């Protein structure tokens, strides 16, 4: 009950920042678990960030959706309006900002736009499936991803460059 009262007594800004820090750690746990090759690595990749957000006292909207109604049912002096306005809204906004801006956008800038990554991945696997690796477009080291064209206005391929 004391934890729930403490959660609704914080300011909007403090709750927002705690939500942002919490979801950053949760997203890192997901990425680490996805990157790990074995079960022990997945467990460790999840355990460390989640235990850090719990011991740091950060706020997660899903965890609060359990803790706050339970505290209300046990007699905490919190109204549902207090829970929604003072906890759920700022924490959810913080979680969303963190997931979209800090994690997804930073990974997007680090590894390229999703469109370029998706297109390159699909082309690579399609070439392997159809055994046409020589027909992949050539970017010729252009950092902007420009595909050069041959004389017939078709994308230049490794095969057409080899032919020339």
């Amino acid at each position: 009950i004391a934890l729930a009262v403490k959660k609704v007594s914080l300011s909007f800004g403090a709750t927002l920042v705690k939500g942002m820090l919490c979801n950053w750690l949760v997203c890192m746990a997901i990425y680490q678990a996805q990157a790990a090759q074995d079960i022990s690595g997945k467990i460790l990749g999840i355990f460390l960030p989640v235990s850090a957000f719990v011991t740091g006292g950060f706020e997660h909207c899903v965890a609060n959706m359990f803790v706050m109604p339970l505290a209300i049912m046990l007699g905490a002096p919190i109204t549902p309006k207090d829970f929604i306005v003072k906890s759920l809204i700022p924490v959810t906004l913080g979680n969303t900002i963190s997931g979209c801006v800090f994690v997804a956008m930073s990974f997007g800038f680090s590894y390229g736009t999703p469109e370029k990554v998706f297109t390159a991945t699909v082309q690579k696997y399609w070439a392997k499936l159809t055994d046409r690796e020589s027909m992949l477009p050539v970017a010729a080291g252009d950092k902007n991803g420009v595909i050069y064209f041959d004389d017939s206005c078709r994308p230049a391929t490794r095969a057409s460059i080899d032919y020339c």
Side-chain angles (χ1 to χ4, degrees), residues 3-164:
L3 176 67
V5 171
K6 182 181 173 188
K7 285 179 180 277
V8 296
S9 64
L10 297 171
S11 69
F12 187 90
T15 308
L16 182 80
V17 170
K18 282 185 161 198
M20 290 165 60
L21 292 171
C22 174
N23 205 47
W24 176 70
L25 288 169
V26 170
C27 289
M28 289 300 106
I30 292 168
Y31 278 114
Q32 289 178 25
Q34 188 68 27
Q37 299 295 321
D38 55 354
I39 295 297
S40 59
K42 290 180 185 296
I43 291 171
L44 194 62
I46 293 170
F47 177 76
L48 292 176
V50 170
S51 62
F53 104 70
V54 170
T55 56
F58 300 145
E59 305 270 341
H60 198 269
C61 61
V62 176
N64 285 356
M65 282 189 253
F66 170 76
V67 171
M68 300 299 242
L70 178 65
I72 291 170
M73 286 188 287
L74 292 175
I78 302 169
T79 64
K81 179 184 174 188
D82 288 338
F83 162 57
I84 292 170
V85 173
K86 295 181 179 179
S87 178
L88 191 61
I89 291 173
V91 170
T92 304
L93 286 173
N95 290 165
T96 304
I97 291 168
S98 177
C100 294
V101 176
F102 293 156
V103 179
M105 193 177 292
S106 63
F107 272 79
F109 285 131
S110 297
Y111 298 107
T113 61
E115 182 179 300
K116 287 182 183 178
V117 173
F118 179 75
T119 304
T121 305
V122 167
Q123 285 178 341
K124 182 176 76 172
Y125 286 113
W126 179 255
K128 283 183 180 180
L129 283 173
T130 59
D131 198 28
R132 296 182 188 183
E133 290 189 30
S134 64
M135 298 301 287
L136 282 174
V138 176
D142 191 339
K143 67 180 181 178
N144 296 321
V146 174
I147 298 173
Y148 297 99
F149 292 89
D150 60 12
D151 294 335
S152 61
C153 293
R154 291 180 298 175
T157 62
R158 287 189 183 93
S160 63
I161 289 175
D162 291 341
Y163 177 74
C164 296

